[in-house]
Amino acid sequence: MHRIHLTYALGDSGDSPRELHHPLMRLLDAIHVTGSISGAARELDLSYRHVWGELKRWEQELGQDLVVWSKGQPARLSQFGEKLLWAERRAKARLAPQIDALRSELERAFAIAFDPHAEVLTLYASHDNALPLLRETAARDDLHLDMRFTGSTEALQALNRGVCTVAGFHAHVRSPLRSPTARAYRPLLKPGRHKLIGFARRTQGLIVAPGNPSGIQGLADLTRGGLRFVNRPWGAGTRVLLEQLLAQQRIPARDIVGFDREEPSHDAVAEAVASGSADVAFGIESAARQRGLDFVPITQEGYFLVTLREHLEQPELQHLRRILQARAWQERLERLRGYEPDRSGEVLSLRSVLPWWSYRRPKA
């Protein structure tokens, strides 16, 4: 059993990678992509001798071959090498929210240590690929977002308990009054107490293998025999949205193979499809495109930030709103596939934006 040791680096955001990495995995990935040691060396900007030496050192350390050579054929990873690369990708995808939370906590601690006047804003949010970009943008403007990824309902509950200042959640704004979306969020949001802040509109759909070999065109195809689905967990806003869309089309969830198989994030469900352990998942477009997967758009939804009325005039929150309203941030968001700004930084009317909310409790 090989033990895992984690380290971190201090410095500007450009000085170190955004995610955990291991030099062996980078080497294996480069060989997988280029099909040769010399190509991997060029890809990694290293010498051929160094790459060859590292490869042999790791084969001796692990006691197994990592690369297979056949005369006249490109170099390819051994079965063990492929398994190593797959295992690391899957683990990183599943742990991405926790890794982001750890990084955020470290950044917050050192921000306070280096600058006693640093602005820090705690944000609990449903997993989203735009939020780490927002954190980077805010940090350059001396606002440190202490960000934790949870389910949408968990984020709102944390806000209501006073654990965070801002929560992030997403919702299908045209949801009927008795829909799963309305049932999930109505008890957690109250006009007058909660203040919505515009953030983004994003596309959700079906994540499928490159070329869409199964010919999946819509949600009805999920019940087709032989397809393996992978889902998000209970409490995740994406699962709430999926269950609502299935109910609207009268598609029984029990007929979908793998509906009870859960992964914690959009990146994790996309990685399951990329690795071949699932044929289809429901998630955001950017998670699919980042892995070279195909995407079948199904619907758009709003992603919102929300705070309590008493927090709205806090300097840190006003700072965040200015960043969201800046053209520099909105242009960066537009470059992320499947996203577009939607009244970013504006304070919105809860009842106007979410018409399924009402003061009256719906009759049973």
Side-chain angles (χ1 to χ4, degrees):
M1 177 65 183
H2 291 270
R3 293 187 174 275
I4 303 297
H5 302 277
L6 302 179
T7 62
Y8 64 88
L10 286 172
D12 294 336
S13 59
D15 294 338
S16 59
R18 287 186 60 246
E19 60 179 24
L20 290 175
H21 75 286
H22 190 279
L24 173 61
M25 302 307 167
R26 294 181 66 193
L27 191 157
L28 294 179
D29 184 60
I31 294 173
H32 176 73
V33 170
T34 65
S36 69
I37 301 297
S38 58
R42 289 192 298 271
E43 180 83 9
L44 299 174
D45 196 23
L46 298 170
S47 70
Y48 181 96
R49 181 177 180 181
H50 178 82
V51 172
W52 177 266
E54 282 296 285
L55 186 63
K56 290 303 174 183
R57 182 177 72 82
W58 278 109
E59 286 184 334
Q60 184 176 6
E61 171 77 17
L62 300 174
Q64 298 197 54
D65 291 337
L66 294 169
V67 179
V68 175
W69 286 273
S70 299
K71 188 174 182 180
Q73 298 294 322
R76 60 183 177 85
L77 298 184
S78 67
Q79 184 178 12
F80 175 66
E82 291 277 7
K83 285 174 64 178
L84 270 184
L85 195 57
W86 170 83
E88 196 227 19
R89 287 174 175 172
R90 182 172 186 269
K92 284 168 63 174
R94 296 192 71 179
L95 293 173
Q98 293 92 324
I99 292 170
D100 275 334
L102 175 60
R103 181 186 295 110
S104 181
E105 181 64 28
L106 288 168
E107 287 179 350
R108 177 181 184 275
F110 284 108
I112 295 171
F114 283 105
D115 181 5
H117 304 293
E119 290 186 317
V120 179
L121 193 62
T122 303
L123 190 156
Y124 279 47
S126 173
H127 184 256
D128 179 79
N129 285 0
L131 285 174
L133 298 180
L134 177 62
R135 180 174 55 204
E136 290 179 6
T137 302
R140 297 192 193 109
D141 203 34
D142 296 323
L143 175 64
H144 301 276
L145 297 180
D146 181 9
M147 191 176 295
R148 314 290 179 88
F149 284 122
T150 68
S152 283
T153 56
E154 293 174 87
L156 292 171
Q157 289 166 355
L159 175 66
N160 293 336
R161 294 196 310 270
V163 177
C164 60
T165 305
V166 179
F169 77 103
H170 54 97
H172 202 260
V173 296
R174 295 184 297 276
S175 303
L177 183 60
R178 292 176 175 82
S179 65
T181 297
R183 288 198 302 268
Y185 298 132
R186 281 184 74 255
L188 300 172
L189 294 168
K190 298 189 182 303
R193 184 179 184 224
H194 294 88
K195 297 295 182 181
L196 285 186
I197 299 172
F199 181 58
R201 184 182 297 115
R202 68 182 192 178
T203 302
Q204 293 251 42
L206 297 173
I207 299 171
V208 297
N212 195 2
S214 299
I216 297 169
Q217 299 299 319
L219 295 177
D221 292 326
L222 298 181
T223 61
R224 204 194 308 157
L227 289 180
R228 299 163 298 162
F229 183 70
V230 59
N231 207 349
R232 296 293 305 285
W234 289 101
T238 293
R239 179 151 178 167
V240 172
L241 173 62
L242 174 61
E243 291 181 352
Q244 175 172 315
L245 296 174
L246 293 175
Q248 288 174 346
Q249 297 187 33
R250 298 184 178 181
I251 300 171
R254 64 177 179 273
D255 292 345
I256 301 174
V257 175
F259 192 81
D260 293 328
R261 176 187 170 187
E262 299 176 355
E263 293 288 353
S265 67
H266 293 283
D267 289 338
V269 296
E271 187 59 40
V273 176
S275 70
S277 66
D279 301 303
V280 57
F282 186 74
I284 56 176
E285 183 175 0
S286 64
R289 302 303 185 189
Q290 288 170 2
R291 289 164 177 78
L293 301 171
D294 275 7
F295 182 78
V296 181
I298 298 295
T299 191
Q300 283 195 321
E301 62 177 358
Y303 195 107
F304 305 98
L305 303 180
V306 59
T307 190
L308 300 182
R309 179 178 55 191
E310 57 264 30
H311 299 324
L312 196 57
E313 299 304 320
Q314 287 186 2
E316 296 84 1
L317 205 133
Q318 292 293 315
H319 193 170
L320 175 62
R321 290 183 57 209
R322 289 194 298 273
I323 292 170
L324 292 171
Q325 291 171 333
R327 188 60 196 157
W329 159 249
Q330 295 183 22
E331 288 176 351
R332 188 175 190 188
L333 181 62
E334 288 170 346
R335 291 194 292 269
L336 189 61
R337 293 289 296 272
Y339 284 81
E340 57 185 273
D342 187 14
R343 296 174 286 182
S344 299
E346 295 182 29
V347 179
L348 309 173
S349 166
L350 180 65
R351 291 199 294 163
S352 296
V353 174
L354 305 176
W356 38 262
W357 207 103
S358 70
Y359 280 103
R360 296 180 180 178
R361 186 179 300 277
K363 296 179 181 179

